[in-house]
Amino acid sequence: AHFTMIKAYAVAEAGAIQPFAYLQLVFIAILGFTVFDEILRPNVIVGAVVVVAAGIFTLIRTRQKERAGA
């Protein structure tokens, strides 16, 4: 996964790719829950939601600025 993210950064802008990196939080949480029987505490869930929302916001703002400049 890290290798493909590095390759993606080589061919595209970081602002467009970074929100997808935040999805690692979601996949790791699912993996921890299913494989290791971990329980996510509410503060971890809230923090992950804030981080993912910030990434999505960054992606939306980047696309808006690209459209406005084009």
Side-chain angles (χ1 to χ4, degrees):
H2 284 85
F3 178 75
T4 56
M5 286 298 293
I6 291 169
K7 289 297 182 182
Y9 282 119
V11 297
E13 292 186 24
I17 296 170
Q18 190 58 35
F20 296 105
Y22 295 133
L23 287 175
Q24 292 176 357
L25 290 171
V26 176
F27 293 129
I28 293 301
I30 293 169
L31 180 70
F33 181 74
T34 57
V35 175
F36 300 110
D37 200 30
E38 292 182 353
I39 297 173
L40 292 177
R41 296 187 326 213
N43 60 337
V44 174
I45 295 170
V46 169
V49 167
V50 168
V51 169
V52 171
I56 292 170
F57 175 76
T58 302
L59 176 64
I60 292 170
R61 288 292 294 157
T62 302
R63 289 189 178 177
Q64 286 177 346
K65 285 186 177 185
E66 287 175 359
R67 288 185 188 145

